[in-house]
Amino acid sequence: MKTKFLFTCLLLTILSLSSNAQGTWTKKADFGGKEREGATGFSVGGKGYIGTGYDRAKNTILKDFWEYDPVTNKWTKKADFPGGARLDAVAFSIGDKGYIGGGGASYYEPYFKDLWEYDPATDKWTRKADLPGVARHMAIAFTIEDKGYYGTGETTSPHVWYKDFWEYDAAADKWTQKADYGGDPSTNVSCFAIGDKGYIGTGYSAN
């Protein structure tokens, strides 16, 4: 199974890493959109996708969406994310579809708990079942086999950190709550998946 990616921030510079013995970074074509932070992304069908985020220079929240083709080393603008401009959203991919949800309309409220499915074959977005948990930003997500996983994050007013953890079944368009994250309630954590296991670590907690 291929590991799915979660992009948490982005400048215009894109680098790729070759998995040889020493590890080698190679500069690739600059991202096609504006410089930003708090973007999110996933990979589907051998291509990478990045969108949303915050343009700090212009104090603008973004909803544009871009495809990267590593064969041609080119970026192509795709249909805007229809859930509205946001930053610090989550993303994962299942099969030939990608998913973006959550995040906030700013660094503060309002936050979102929606989920949107992207089909690269048609360049179309479809609204899916909302996360049953609390709307939040700065959460994490990853994929294991044919399920998506979503958890942690934070809200303000009051300021709360979370450790709940959810599984998304795309075939049934259904969320199921799983065992809480084993660490403290946390935000801005990192994650990845290898084989049939997911990994979460680092981040920030009030504890």
Side-chain angles (χ1 to χ4, degrees):
M1 190 205 79
K2 294 183 179 178
T3 299
K4 312 305 180 184
F5 296 86
L6 175 67
F7 294 84
T8 56
C9 63
L10 179 72
L11 296 176
L12 284 176
T13 300
I14 303 295
L15 301 172
S16 68
L17 177 65
S18 175
S19 58
N20 59 30
Q22 295 180 329
T24 302
W25 289 96
T26 303
K27 188 178 186 304
K28 311 304 287 185
D30 285 353
F31 176 61
K34 299 176 181 178
E35 293 183 354
R36 66 194 64 195
E37 61 188 84
T40 195
F42 52 79
S43 58
V44 173
K47 295 181 180 179
Y49 297 87
I50 294 175
T52 69
Y54 173 53
D55 179 353
R56 184 175 292 275
K58 295 187 177 180
N59 191 29
T60 303
I61 309 297
L62 304 167
K63 63 179 181 179
D64 56 332
F65 189 68
W66 295 78
E67 176 188 85
Y68 176 70
D69 185 338
V71 175
T72 61
N73 190 29
K74 290 183 179 180
W75 292 90
T76 302
K77 191 176 186 306
K78 311 302 285 187
D80 284 352
F81 174 67
R86 66 185 65 191
L87 73 163
D88 296 327
V90 301
F92 55 91
S93 56
I94 298 174
D96 60 356
K97 306 288 194 306
Y99 299 84
I100 292 179
S106 74
Y107 281 111
Y108 303 98
E109 299 175 292
Y111 301 120
F112 303 104
K113 57 191 296 183
D114 55 349
L115 183 71
W116 294 81
E117 178 186 84
Y118 178 71
D119 185 348
T122 61
D123 190 29
K124 293 186 182 299
W125 292 91
T126 303
R127 179 76 179 264
K128 310 302 285 188
D130 286 359
L131 174 76
V134 175
R136 69 194 73 182
H137 73 152
M138 297 184 181
I140 56 88
F142 54 81
T143 303
I144 298 175
E145 297 179 349
D146 60 349
K147 302 289 194 305
Y149 295 89
Y150 184 145
T152 71
E154 69 172 280
T155 58
T156 57
S157 303
H159 207 150
V160 179
W161 292 265
Y162 296 93
K163 61 185 297 181
D164 56 330
F165 198 65
W166 298 82
E167 178 187 85
Y168 178 69
D169 182 337
D173 189 27
K174 181 180 179 180
W175 292 93
T176 302
Q177 188 164 13
K178 312 300 284 186
D180 286 353
Y181 166 53
D184 292 331
S186 303
T187 186
N188 273 329
V189 301
S190 298
C191 69
F192 53 89
I194 300 175
D196 61 354
K197 294 184 173 59
Y199 299 82
I200 299 176
T202 70
Y204 175 79
S205 173
N207 296 333

